[in-house]
Amino acid sequence: MDIREITVADEDAGPYGITTGPDGALWLTLVHAGRIARLSTTGELRTYDLGAPACRPSLITAGPDGALWFTRTQDDRIGRITTDGELSEFALPAPGCGPYGITAGPDGALWFTEMNADRIGRLTPAGDLREFTLPVSQAFVSTITTGPDGALWFTLNQANAVGRITTDGTVTVHGLPTPAAAPVGITAGSDALWCVEIGAGQVARITTDGSVSEFALPDRACRPHAIVAGDDGCWLTEWGANRVAHLSADGTVTEHELPSPKSEPHGLTIGPDGDLWVALEIGKVAVLTSAAAAR
């Protein structure tokens, strides 16, 4: 197994979220430093200061306009950065709403979660904002992704459920079978959604009609956090166990220890090179080679 690490910041800066950009680079949020980082697959690093050290840039996604979009959880903004480093931001109307998850929707807009407000937001690249109130309270709505059915799917961490919202704002909530499963990360496969259950040490598969199957991880105390679909199943971070795991389509789990102890693995993405890139909050990125990522 070939796993290497690249230092991208000091150990107190992050990174937290990571995505593959349209320019063939990896883009990261330095959550504790108020910066965005761009890392090429050959190791070239650039960082961009957001001008607000405590804004907590959290999750990041490639947008429909060729830029990168990210949530600023602490100061209630959605940020945008072009591939050449030009920054802009959109303030949300409700203080303390806590934007966190974000994804590009099928309608040319950005869709994001408001953790502290039980809302889903929709923002066009032109700045038009709509917000949809969810039929739950204190649910701690977390991550969001576009599903194979053209709707947006999201996790409700404290409501023990996964939600679905259509582009016109119709919401459906699907409860998870395991009590206190506390879903966090969610990703879309070719025909279903997959989410991690940080409280139960499981991965759930949700069909587009709401049927749920759950897969127990070998270490139920591993605290799975983020998940991304691959060619054969999904990859996920085990935040509490300092590992990355692969769940194949048939339910087989393969776990990989990370080189640095207590590295706090969070976001992960399949890079343009086919490697798996993992954000480690101790200031590093771990890279699993494409040969490893195929297993």
Side-chain angles (χ1 to χ4, degrees), residues 64 103-111 121-125 128 130 132 146 150-152 165-169:
T103 192
D107 57 350
L110 287 306
W111 290 75
R122 177 188 184 273
L123 180 68
T124 69
D128 297 325
R130 292 182 67 191
F132 303 91
T146 296
L152 289 304
I165 184 170
T166 62
T167 54
D168 64 2

Side-chain angles (χ1 to χ4, degrees), residues 96-121:
C97 64
Y100 179 69
I102 189 166
T103 192
D107 57 350
L110 287 306
W111 290 75
F112 59 92
T113 65
E114 298 182 27
M115 284 191 304
N116 303 327
D118 296 317
R119 285 195 299 263
I120 299 293

Side-chain angles (χ1 to χ4, degrees), residues 92-237:
L92 301 177
C97 64
Y100 179 69
I102 189 166
T103 192
D107 57 350
L110 287 306
W111 290 75
F112 59 92
T113 65
E114 298 182 27
M115 284 191 304
N116 303 327
D118 296 317
R119 285 195 299 263
I120 299 293
R122 177 188 184 273
L123 180 68
T124 69
D128 297 325
L129 174 68
R130 292 182 67 191
E131 293 174 303
F132 303 91
T133 300
L134 301 173
V136 289
S137 60
Q138 298 181 328
F140 207 67
V141 55
S142 300
T143 60
I144 187 168
T145 192
T146 296
D149 57 349
L152 289 304
W153 290 75
F154 51 91
T155 52
L156 296 161
N157 177 263
Q158 293 300 296
N160 208 54
V162 170
R164 176 184 186 270
I165 184 170
T166 62
T167 54
D168 64 2
T170 301
V171 176
T172 309
V173 174
H174 303 285
L176 295 174
T178 301
V184 184
I186 192 168
T187 191
S190 60
D191 60 352
L193 291 303
W194 297 80
C195 76
V196 291
E197 300 177 353
I198 194 172
Q202 298 182 153
V203 177
R205 180 182 185 272
I206 307 98
T207 63
T208 54
D209 64 2
S211 298
V212 180
S213 305
E214 293 175 312
F215 301 85
L217 297 170
D219 177 4
R220 300 297 288 273
C222 68
R223 306 286 288 173
H225 186 272
I227 188 167
V228 64
D231 290 337
D232 174 27
C234 301
W235 286 88
L236 57 130
T237 49

